[in-house]
Amino acid sequence: MEISEEDLRLINALQISPRISWSDAGEVLGVHATTLASRWDRLRAAGAAWTTAHLMGDPKDMCLAMVDIDCEMHLRPDVTSAVATLPEVITVEEAASNRDLTLTVITQDLEQFSTHVLPRLKEIRGLTKYHTALCTRIHTSGYAWRLNVLTKAEQQALRALAGPESANPSAPDAMVLPLPESHLALIPFLARDGRATAAEIARALGRNPATVQRQLGRVLNSRMLSFRCEIAQQFSGFPITVQWFANVPAGEHEAAATELRAIRNIRFSASTTGRTNFTMIMWLRSLAEVMEMELTIQQRIPGIELVESVVMLNTAKRVGWMLNPDSTATGKVVPPYGELLPDGI
């Protein structure tokens, strides 16, 4: 499949406003609503792009852990498949470093991580060792990454039309609103399709559409979820994923994060516990950019100590979505609060 410039413009629009109506998006992009809907259906069917919602994992409200996994070499595919089925493990990547796999894990709290997730990791055949770092603050997350193919005026217009799901869920003043059990049942459907409507969810759950509409509004305003439009990495122009582990002087983490946000490649940055206290993930155009980016980081953040860089060989799962080796989506989703969802709602 080939991605056109018009496809990239549509994806960029949905990155800014994931749940915008096709009519509103059409007004901004100068394209008929039915054309946009058809184009989006084609991109989704090919696994080239998708919208999703996942638990934010903000350390103020939840536990976000990054777990390095070692496994027996001949059993690595089995271990990868096993950890990917765990709903708490939202991302699974194969690393070219002194760990075999890296996992991103979100749980309700540290106790759930310790008593519910770790015991299941220990039961996986072929998994020989794990090392955990806990996130103490998220500075930048993947929902904010942009293709930047739209004009500034178009981006501003889309932001003006964006709903509550487009707000920064990790903003300092953001408060997660607790949701009743009945509302949590909506989350798996939003994980499968970040643009799922109340009518679609109501049909699937056998609930009254008006009731689900109210529940959906509350979920969107809860700040519990991070909404994003993802693109298969091979089509993004940035096929290389690199994670750095670093040490930043105490009290300078926010300043470091501010400098990193000015770099368009940044996908994730956070303060952590463990052998290092700061980590960042970027998408790059080539391996040659690794050294260039390290120089840029050190120039922007003079006090930073870059301890280790890790290039990812493959992503098996990204924020709940199972991926093919070519980075396209398989259509299978392992959502929180739900079993593996089939294709479609």
Side-chain angles (χ1 to χ4, degrees):
M1 178 183 183
E2 292 187 1
I3 298 290
S4 68
E5 186 66 24
E6 290 304 311
D7 292 333
L8 293 176
R9 284 171 53 80
L10 172 57
I11 294 169
N12 196 174
L14 293 179
Q15 288 177 329
I16 297 169
S17 182
R19 292 180 59 84
I20 191 171
S21 70
W22 294 131
S23 58
D24 284 345
E27 287 288 331
V28 176
L29 300 178
V31 180
H32 197 278
T34 56
T35 301
L36 290 180
S38 176
R39 183 174 294 150
W40 179 244
D41 287 342
R42 178 178 59 85
L43 290 169
R44 282 194 70 200
W50 58 96
T51 54
T52 187
H54 66 91
L55 295 177
M56 182 59 202
D58 193 308
K60 297 192 301 290
D61 310 292
M62 302 176 191
C63 174
L64 188 151
M66 287 163 284
V67 184
D68 293 337
I69 295 291
D70 289 338
C71 51
E72 297 178 28
M73 188 58 64
H74 68 289
L75 292 176
R76 179 185 286 186
D78 297 337
V79 174
T80 302
S81 297
V83 296
T85 63
L86 302 178
E88 297 87 357
V89 177
I90 67 166
T91 297
V92 179
E93 295 178 295
E94 183 178 351
S97 66
N98 58 5
R99 77 270 291 155
D100 293 318
L101 302 174
T102 64
L103 316 179
T104 303
V105 184
I106 296 179
T107 55
Q108 293 179 358
D109 51 36
L110 182 59
E111 180 182 8
Q112 186 188 21
F113 174 75
S114 301
T115 62
H116 190 62
V117 176
L118 291 184
R120 284 186 290 168
L121 292 181
K122 296 174 183 177
E123 294 172 355
I124 296 175
R125 178 172 173 264
L127 194 158
T128 59
K129 184 181 178 182
Y130 64 84
H131 174 82
T132 301
L134 300 171
C135 177
T136 57
R137 180 166 298 177
I138 298 174
H139 302 292
T140 310
S141 191
Y143 82 94
W145 187 85
R146 301 285 187 262
L147 285 168
N148 286 328
V149 296
L150 297 175
T151 66
K152 289 185 178 180
E154 289 169 331
Q155 294 180 44
Q156 185 176 358
L158 288 163
R159 282 193 292 268
L161 293 167
E165 75 283 352
S166 301
N168 182 354
S170 61
D173 60 344
M175 286 184 60
V176 172
L177 304 176
L179 293 173
E181 192 74 24
S182 60
H183 292 50
L184 298 181
L186 278 63
I187 293 178
F189 297 96
L190 294 170
R192 178 66 184 86
D193 180 4
R195 295 178 55 81
T197 66
E200 291 169 335
I201 298 173
R203 281 197 301 270
L205 292 176
R207 296 182 182 177
N208 182 284
T211 299
V212 173
Q213 184 68 56
R214 290 193 298 272
Q215 293 171 339
L216 179 58
R218 188 168 176 183
V219 170
L220 296 179
N221 283 289
S222 71
R223 292 184 181 268
M224 177 182 284
L225 300 178
S226 176
F227 284 77
R228 65 171 74 181
C229 176
E230 286 280 13
I231 182 173
Q233 194 169 356
Q234 65 162 311
F235 299 126
S236 69
F238 300 88
I240 307 296
T241 300
V242 182
Q243 181 171 8
W244 283 273
F245 298 90
N247 285 314
V248 173
E252 296 184 19
H253 285 221
E254 290 292 345
T258 299
E259 291 295 333
L260 288 172
R261 289 189 195 101
I263 302 174
R264 68 161 297 187
N265 308 71
I266 192 74
R267 290 275 301 186
F268 179 80
S269 65
S271 301
T272 66
T273 65
R275 292 170 288 195
T276 54
N277 67 8
F278 199 93
T279 189
M280 64 208 97
I281 299 173
M282 296 190 190
W283 282 6
L284 304 179
R285 295 188 185 277
S286 68
L287 288 172
E289 280 195 328
V290 175
M291 185 174 292
E292 298 171 13
M293 189 54 65
E294 289 180 349
L295 179 60
T296 298
I297 293 170
Q298 290 178 322
Q299 288 173 338
R300 285 182 172 271
I301 312 169
I304 196 170
E305 176 195 4
L306 297 177
V307 176
E308 183 183 11
S309 61
V310 179
V311 176
M312 301 305 171
L313 300 176
N314 178 57
T315 301
K317 181 182 184 182
R318 176 176 296 129
V319 289
W321 281 68
M322 305 300 295
L323 304 185
N324 293 307
D326 66 356
S327 78
T328 58
T330 67
K332 300 296 183 182
V333 185
V334 186
Y337 308 115
E339 300 298 324
L340 184 71
L341 291 180
D343 296 346
I345 290 180

